[in-house]
């Protein structure tokens, strides 16, 4: 192994700029894992931070020749262990490939490298009167490459969809170092199998994304929001179903349970109602958001809302939405560690999902706060625990698994936007079934016959 390590490092030094290669074990250790709990991580043999496609190709050719695994990484803000290092691997961190290569207002596309920060791209296209909708909660730090790897979502998914809908084409370095171009930059195109969508959500297991052509929208009007307080999660979920059934198209429809509201109040002293059992946030970016909010307010009242408070302007709306964006950060202050689940269920099953999660929290004597992209049924139960307490850690992991089992029982999926990684491998097999699993493993072998790309993830 020491001989292989020496040969690998020598080969990488021979073909890469000195500043692109890190071999100091104290430094490489800091690249070993993302933000997920309960996920094993190995020690990288080297970390490479390329700036060019050619450097990525050189790494993959070297890895193939020496049979060394490669783990691609972005900002490592993921929550499933998908970016965790394998023992003795090359960590390929793409954060220095961070150029916006083109913004075209006529074709409504942006061409970017994988290390571009989501928020940086969003602000850049805004200057052209355009809009890149996917906005994960970590948008100020997460990269487009990472978003593509896990098909990330965000607060606006209820109206605009997830990353998958905005990736038109990709340049991908394959396991053997060849460069593949998929997709298109035209508004339409159906030539051949849709390899672009195959790579989106593949968590770096099929190839290394080095360029992306992204679809853009015209920038919508500033959104206006309201907050509705409910005496129960079931009542809030009834309002969600009514809003969607009546054909409304909110740009945001988010839910926070009592545990989450109280955590946000403790952290930021925002004056949210501590007595609420569920807080629903709804926003519209339509030409007449005041009328849309009034109609939604009536539906919330009919569903049992005890108070409905529409924002008077964009600044007040942003204050309401900031409370939702602080949810995960606030729940992290409850206990030393958290496990953030990502179960998505049909909207009609949302109340059962929340009530079931509350029952699981009581069963395991744990604090589990839930925030949710309620409009698309994507719940984020956050299990709060002390990792130094062995028994509490065990209960946290068991409760996490029960929440995923509940989601599947309700006709849902184990992940709506965070991905599978290491954390949910066993559950992916349950969701796909034996035939689906066999076919997906076959696809993996076609693209990566030596199993060098992010091994041990997904399957």
């Amino acid at each position: 192994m020491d001989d292989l390590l020496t040969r690998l490092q020598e080969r990488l030094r021979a073909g890469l700029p000195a500043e692109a290669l890190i071999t100091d074990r104290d430094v490489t250790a800091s690249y070993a894992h993302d933000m997920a709990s309960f996920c094993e991580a190995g020690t990288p043999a080297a970390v490479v931070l390329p700036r060019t496609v050619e450097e990525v190709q050189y790494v993959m050719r070297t890895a193939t020749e020496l049979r060394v695994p490669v783990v691609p990484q972005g900002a490592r803000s993921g929550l499933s262990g998908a970016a965790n290092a394998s023992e003795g691997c090359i960590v390929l961190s793409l954060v220095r490939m961070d150029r916006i290569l083109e913004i075209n207002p006529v074709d409504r596309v942006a061409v970017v490298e994988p290390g571009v920060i989501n928020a940086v791209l969003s602000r850049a296209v805004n200057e052209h009167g355009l809009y890149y909708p996917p906005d994960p909660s970590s948008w100020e730090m997460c990269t487009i490459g990472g978003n593509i790897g896990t098909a990330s979502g965000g607060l606006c998914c209820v109206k605009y969809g997830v990353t998958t809908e905005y990736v038109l084409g990709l340049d991908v370095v394959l396991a053997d170092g060849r460069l593949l171009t998929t997709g298109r930059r035209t508004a339409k195109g159906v030539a051949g199998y849709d390899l672009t969508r195959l790579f989106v959500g593949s968590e770096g297991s099929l190839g290394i994304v080095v360029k992306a052509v992204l679809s853009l929208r015209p920038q919508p009007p500033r959104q206006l929001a309201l907050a509705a307080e409910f005496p129960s999660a079931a009542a809030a979920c009834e309002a969600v179903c009514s809003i969607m059934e009546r054909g409304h198209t909110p740009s945001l429809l988010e839910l926070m349970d009592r545990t989450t509201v109280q955590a946000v109040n403790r952290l930021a002293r925002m004056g949210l109602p501590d007595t609420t059992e569920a807080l629903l946030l709804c926003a519209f970016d339509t030409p007449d958001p005041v009328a849309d909010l009034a109609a939604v307010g009536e539906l919330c009242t009919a569903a049992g809302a005890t108070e409905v408070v529409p924002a008077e302007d964009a600044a007040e709306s942003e204050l309401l939405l900031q409370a939702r964006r602080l949810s995960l950060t606030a729940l992290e202050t409850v206990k030393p560690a958290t496990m953030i689940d990502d179960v998505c269920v049909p909207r009609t099953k949302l109340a059962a999902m929340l009530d079931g999660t509350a029952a699981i929290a009581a069963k395991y004597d744990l604090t589990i706060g839930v925030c949710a992209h309620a409009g698309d049924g994507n719940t984020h139960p956050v299990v709060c625990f002390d990792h130094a307490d062995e028994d509490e850690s065990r209960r946290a992991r068991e409760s996490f698994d029960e929440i995923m089992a509940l989601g599947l029982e309700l006709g849902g999926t184990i992940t709506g936007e965070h991905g599978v990684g290491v954390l949910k491998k066993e559950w992916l097999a349950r969701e796909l079934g034996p035939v689906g699993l066999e076919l997906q493993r076959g696809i993996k072998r076609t693209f990566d016959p030596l199993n060098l790309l992010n091994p041990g993830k997904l399957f």
Side-chain angles (χ1 to χ4, degrees):
M1 181 64 184
D2 289 341
D3 180 57
L4 176 59
L5 177 63
T6 300
R7 289 168 57 207
L8 172 64
Q9 294 182 352
E10 287 177 350
R11 190 69 59 84
L12 293 174
R13 287 192 187 97
L16 296 170
E19 66 271 14
L21 179 63
I22 301 173
T23 57
D24 185 317
R25 289 177 64 87
D26 290 337
V27 181
T28 59
S30 66
Y31 288 83
H33 55 83
D34 62 17
M35 298 178 67
S37 300
F38 293 111
C39 292
E40 294 181 358
T43 302
V47 174
V48 178
L49 296 99
R51 291 189 184 274
T52 68
V53 174
E54 291 75 19
E55 289 170 9
V56 175
Q57 290 181 284
Y58 181 83
V59 169
M60 293 313 307
R61 287 194 292 265
T62 301
T64 294
E65 182 181 345
L66 299 179
R67 304 297 195 264
V68 175
V70 176
V71 175
Q73 289 184 349
R76 289 181 287 118
S77 59
L79 295 166
S80 67
N84 283 15
S86 304
E87 187 64 32
C89 75
I90 301 169
V91 162
L92 190 59
S93 174
L94 299 157
V95 295
R96 291 182 183 173
M97 295 182 70
D98 60 355
R99 294 179 300 164
I100 298 174
L101 302 173
E102 179 186 355
I103 297 173
N104 189 315
V106 176
D107 292 336
R108 293 183 182 173
V109 298
V111 183
V112 305
E113 292 182 326
V116 172
I117 301 296
N118 185 296
V120 171
L121 174 63
S122 295
R123 293 178 182 125
V125 302
N126 287 165
E127 294 177 5
H128 296 265
L130 297 169
Y131 177 45
Y132 180 67
D135 61 342
S137 296
S138 58
W139 77 307
E140 292 282 6
M141 65 178 292
C142 65
T143 63
I144 295 298
N147 295 168
I148 291 170
T150 59
S152 298
L155 301 186
C156 71
C157 295
V158 61
K159 180 174 182 178
Y160 293 103
V162 298
T163 297
T164 307
E165 279 75 60
Y166 296 89
V167 182
L168 295 176
L170 297 170
D171 279 5
V172 182
V173 175
L174 300 176
D176 59 8
R178 290 179 295 165
L179 182 63
L180 169 70
T181 297
T182 76
R184 64 195 196 281
R185 59 176 293 151
T186 55
K188 293 164 37 174
V190 293
Y193 295 131
D194 192 347
L195 295 182
T196 302
R197 287 206 173 206
L198 187 60
F199 282 103
V200 178
S202 67
E203 302 182 21
S205 64
L206 302 179
I208 311 295
V209 172
V210 291
K211 187 170 74 174
V213 180
L214 305 174
S215 175
L216 304 175
R217 298 281 190 94
Q219 189 170 4
R222 292 287 297 272
Q223 63 183 0
L224 202 62
L226 67 71
E229 180 182 355
F230 289 88
S232 69
C237 294
E238 181 183 340
V240 169
C241 292
S242 295
I243 292 166
M244 302 309 293
E245 184 180 20
R246 297 294 181 89
H248 293 288
T249 56
S251 55
L252 174 147
L253 190 55
E254 299 286 306
L255 186 148
M256 300 160 62
D257 73 351
R258 180 176 186 170
T259 299
T260 305
V261 169
Q262 291 179 343
V264 170
N265 271 345
R266 285 194 299 270
L267 176 68
R269 297 177 181 172
M270 298 189 73
L272 299 175
D274 270 340
T275 56
T276 187
E277 292 297 325
L279 187 69
L280 190 66
L281 302 175
C282 181
F284 285 90
D285 58 6
T286 52
D288 188 6
V290 174
D292 289 320
L293 288 179
V296 164
E298 291 178 5
L299 293 176
C300 288
T301 300
T306 54
E307 189 170 4
V308 177
V309 181
E312 294 186 357
D313 53 35
E316 193 173 330
S317 292
E318 185 56 34
L319 185 63
L320 289 175
L321 302 187
Q322 183 63 18
R324 170 60 183 89
R325 293 191 183 100
L326 285 173
S327 293
L328 298 182
T329 301
L331 288 167
E332 287 171 354
T333 67
V334 174
K335 287 276 188 172
T338 57
M339 288 187 74
I340 304 173
D341 219 321
D342 177 35
V343 174
C344 190
V345 297
R347 297 185 192 101
T348 52
K349 302 295 184 182
L350 190 58
M353 185 68 205
L354 267 67
D355 288 344
T357 299
I360 290 168
K363 174 182 175 180
Y364 287 96
D365 191 24
L366 292 166
T367 297
I368 302 179
V370 180
C371 51
H373 308 308
D376 50 26
N378 194 180
T379 67
H380 294 307
V382 181
V383 183
C384 306
F385 67 101
D386 184 352
H387 52 70
D389 185 326
E390 185 175 335
D391 182 65
E392 191 163 275
S393 294
R394 174 191 58 78
R395 286 184 280 123
R397 182 63 212 233
E398 291 179 5
S399 71
F400 186 88
D401 285 343
E402 281 208 22
I403 290 169
M404 283 192 286
L406 173 64
L408 291 181
E409 289 170 9
L410 294 173
T413 176
I414 59 169
T415 176
E417 57 187 357
H418 291 171
V420 175
V422 177
L423 190 62
K424 299 186 176 183
K425 283 199 306 180
E426 295 179 6
W427 287 96
L428 178 63
R430 298 190 197 190
E431 179 171 336
L432 293 179
V435 176
L437 190 62
E438 178 186 350
L439 290 172
Q440 296 218 12
R441 284 174 171 164
I443 292 170
K444 166 70 170 172
R445 285 192 296 271
T446 297
F447 282 89
D448 183 20
L450 299 177
N451 193 31
L452 298 180
L453 284 167
N454 217 6
K457 313 298 168 52
L458 292 169
F459 311 115

